[in-house]
Amino acid sequence: MATSSETKTVHSPLVTYASMLSLLTFCPPFVILLWYTMVHADGSITRTGNYLKQHGLQGFIQIWPKPTATAWKIIFCYGAFEAALQLFLPGKRVQGPISPTGHCPVYKANGMAAYFLTLFTYLSLWWFGIFNPTVVYDHLGEIFSALIFGSFIFCIFLYIKGQLAPSSTDSGSCGNIIIDFYWGMELYPRIGKDFDIKVFTNCRFGMMSWSVLAVTYCIKQYEQNGRVADSMLVNTILMLVYVTKFFWWEAGYWNTMDIAHDRAGFYICWGCLVWVPSVYTSPGMYLVNHPINLGTQLAVCTLLAGILCIYINYDCDRQRQEFRQTNGKCSIWRKAPSKIVASYTTTSGETKTSLLLTSGWWGLSRHFHYVPEILAAFFWTVPALFNHFLPYFYVVFLTILLIDRAKRDDDRCRSKYGKYWKLYCEKVPYKILPGVY
Ligand code: NDP
């Protein structure tokens, strides 16, 4: 187990306290207000605002749904099903990146099979009249409420496990209980040898719920109106393409910051268990009661633009991954890649090298992949048109998140690679948007 001095926090204690306090104080009520506004107040912030003005705190407590037995049952069945798929579906053995302590996590790549089996099972349950997804929509508030409390308890479990029974050497305390709880203690927590907790929370519960809820909203609109509006179709298809891309590339995701650098704590796990199912899916939640007709031309153009953005985002990740996997012996935009050979020292004092790609998408800016990510979110939201701001909350949130993430990643890489990162910044001066930022 790493000693306290070896474990660095991502932000200063002050920033951590401030962000933790605001996350704990504002995020749970925000999730409930978002759901309430989308489902019961026509998506209008003004309407919800007026309600709160009139009824005050008591009114807010009244709209906060209690976690019911139905909500717990839905969450439990879904979670158990996903855990079983993660454990038992066959998949290729893949290795994650070597951690700073020299540990190399091994995974079973069965995400794509789990994804298709989940959607197939869900649609079959509906088709054969065994379970109607509208039940999920009708109990959405209770489900979010249960997730808010349940995930908090889950994060306490993660903290205790990190203290008492860490799964690998990539674990440690920074000496501050609050920061340990918030940023997490273990990088690769597991139950037993094979059940990876972060793969479960981030991928199989969080990301999977995105696709399941997207389908749920579509079915709810169909059952409510007897048809699905083209706006809802564009939204659902784009979200499904995005999540399909995610699972197609899931083994690549295991090499990213979320898995390889961010520890399993409140910040990432609560976010994946609560924020993804509620906030990420919110444009679809809005559309259920707003069957907007875009017309074929606008619908097709929006769909194609969204697919193009998702493809470019995928291609950025693919380029980096292929470049690293082949040790730079690949072609990037039909040319040999230009690169920096960067050396760094691990916590155990070993010197290692990594390759930094400086051509292709990674030569445009240091985090160009965030541009198509944000644009794709815009294109699956724009079918909601511009009557209300709230459907665009996710796009705004994502933009802020990714700007912060680019900064965190730059800081981390600067301290890891030192002069080599400086060289990369000189070669590729923009952080996200070429020519602007
Ligand atoms: P990545 O982890 O994939 O990329 C950053 C890492 O790549 C760095 O930490 C560094 O790691 C390495 N790296 C940096 N520059 C280079 C380079 N020039 N050549 C090779 N390697 C380099 O980024 P993210 O995790 O942020 O993003 C992954 C995907 O997830 C993206 O598609 C992103 O859009 C998406 N995403 C979506 C979010 C959402 O909420 N919807 C949130 C965040 C991300 P090393 O230490 O190995 O050198």
Side-chain angles (χ1 to χ4, degrees):
M1 190 160 153
T3 61
S4 51
S5 59
E6 283 169 327
T7 310
K8 285 192 187 128
T9 56
V10 199
H11 287 305
S12 70
L14 189 71
V15 174
T16 299
Y17 287 135
S19 64
M20 174 167 174
L21 257 179
S22 41
L23 229 79
L24 274 171
T25 331
F26 297 121
C27 291
F30 180 82
V31 166
I32 298 300
L33 285 174
L34 177 79
W35 157 80
Y36 174 80
T37 310
M38 293 302 198
V39 175
H40 296 294
D42 197 35
S44 157
I45 300 175
T46 321
R47 249 171 87 168
T48 301
N50 287 340
Y51 170 83
L52 290 178
K53 241 190 257 162
Q54 263 176 24
H55 299 90
L57 185 64
Q58 203 50 41
F60 175 59
I61 293 170
Q62 260 170 23
I63 61 172
W64 189 310
K66 307 286 164 290
T68 54
T70 309
W72 286 118
K73 261 189 243 163
I74 290 172
I75 295 169
F76 178 78
C77 290
Y78 166 70
F81 183 68
E82 290 309 323
L85 295 186
Q86 182 180 333
L87 264 179
F88 301 120
L89 278 181
K92 229 173 76 187
R93 222 179 85 102
V94 296
Q95 290 187 335
I98 299 172
S99 74
T101 66
H103 168 74
C104 182
V106 176
Y107 301 97
K108 190 156 65 163
N110 57 11
M112 202 62 182
Y115 172 66
F116 281 120
L117 205 57
T118 300
L119 289 186
F120 177 77
T121 309
Y122 196 53
L123 289 171
S124 303
L125 290 176
W126 175 53
W127 191 254
F128 292 110
I130 302 165
F131 177 79
N132 195 328
T134 56
V135 174
V136 175
Y137 180 84
D138 297 338
H139 291 81
L140 209 51
E142 297 148 40
I143 293 174
F144 290 155
S145 181
L147 281 177
I148 286 170
F149 295 115
S151 306
F152 190 77
I153 294 166
F154 182 74
C155 293
I156 296 176
F157 156 77
L158 284 179
Y159 173 77
I160 297 171
K161 183 183 172 314
Q163 284 286 359
L164 301 181
S167 303
S168 77
T169 47
D170 296 299
S171 171
S173 162
C174 71
N176 180 319
I177 174 170
I178 296 177
I179 297 179
D180 281 347
F181 172 77
Y182 185 74
W183 286 121
M185 297 190 64
E186 289 191 78
L187 189 59
Y188 297 115
R190 291 203 167 180
I191 296 174
K193 202 165 104 358
D194 295 325
F195 190 75
D196 191 284
I197 293 181
K198 265 163 78 182
V199 169
F200 178 73
T201 54
N202 297 24
C203 308
R204 307 307 172 80
F205 195 101
M207 290 303 289
M208 197 72 84
S209 72
W210 193 347
S211 61
V212 170
L213 285 172
V215 169
T216 303
Y217 301 147
C218 205
I219 291 176
K220 177 69 189 179
Q221 195 186 68
Y222 176 75
E223 298 241 330
Q224 212 164 252
N225 305 342
R227 62 184 286 272
V228 179
D230 54 10
S231 52
M232 180 59 110
L233 273 181
V234 172
N235 172 270
T236 313
I237 293 172
L238 283 180
M239 282 184 172
L240 287 181
V241 171
Y242 182 87
V243 182
T244 311
K245 176 223 78 161
F246 176 85
F247 281 107
W248 171 259
W249 170 81
E250 192 190 38
Y253 173 70
W254 296 333
N255 290 289
T256 69
M257 274 177 82
D258 281 1
I259 300 288
H261 307 302
D262 287 345
R263 287 159 185 250
F266 181 81
Y267 174 77
I268 196 130
C269 293
W270 196 88
C272 290
L273 295 172
V274 185
W275 203 247
V276 172
S278 55
V279 173
Y280 284 40
T281 69
S282 59
M285 208 190 300
Y286 172 85
L287 285 170
V288 171
N289 294 325
H290 298 87
I292 296 161
N293 256 324
L294 299 174
T296 313
Q297 217 173 356
L298 187 56
V300 170
C301 288
T302 313
L303 187 68
L304 291 179
I307 291 175
L308 181 68
C309 290
I310 296 170
Y311 171 74
I312 294 175
N313 173 259
Y314 163 78
D315 200 48
C316 297
D317 291 329
R318 186 201 57 80
Q319 255 183 15
R320 180 179 85 90
Q321 209 183 331
E322 197 180 314
F323 168 75
R324 281 270 171 99
Q325 263 170 4
T326 58
N327 219 1
K329 292 183 184 65
C330 58
S331 85
I332 301 287
W333 290 353
R334 293 166 200 238
K335 281 194 208 140
S338 86
K339 59 181 183 275
I340 294 170
V341 182
S343 64
Y344 63 97
T345 313
T346 64
T347 47
S348 57
E350 265 181 280
T351 303
K352 297 204 174 226
T353 53
S354 280
L355 295 184
L356 297 173
L357 176 62
T358 58
S359 59
W361 300 114
W362 295 80
L364 297 182
S365 68
R366 301 197 295 278
H367 302 90
F368 181 77
H369 53 329
Y370 294 160
V371 177
E373 172 89 35
I374 294 166
L375 284 176
F378 173 78
F379 284 118
W380 69 60
T381 308
V382 85
L385 300 182
F386 300 101
N387 285 340
H388 293 290
F389 163 75
L390 206 54
Y392 291 87
F393 175 78
Y394 172 66
V395 182
V396 175
F397 157 79
L398 184 69
T399 308
I400 297 168
L401 176 89
L402 293 182
I403 291 172
D404 173 66
R405 195 177 171 94
K407 187 192 167 316
R408 285 203 298 135
D409 193 44
D410 262 21
D411 290 350
R412 198 190 63 78
C413 290
R414 190 170 300 111
S415 73
K416 179 175 175 182
Y417 296 119
K419 61 178 180 189
Y420 299 104
W421 191 256
K422 211 170 146 227
L423 192 66
Y424 180 36
C425 293
E426 278 161 19
K427 269 192 137 179
V428 183
Y430 291 103
K431 251 191 203 148
I432 298 178
L433 197 58
V436 180
Y437 175 71

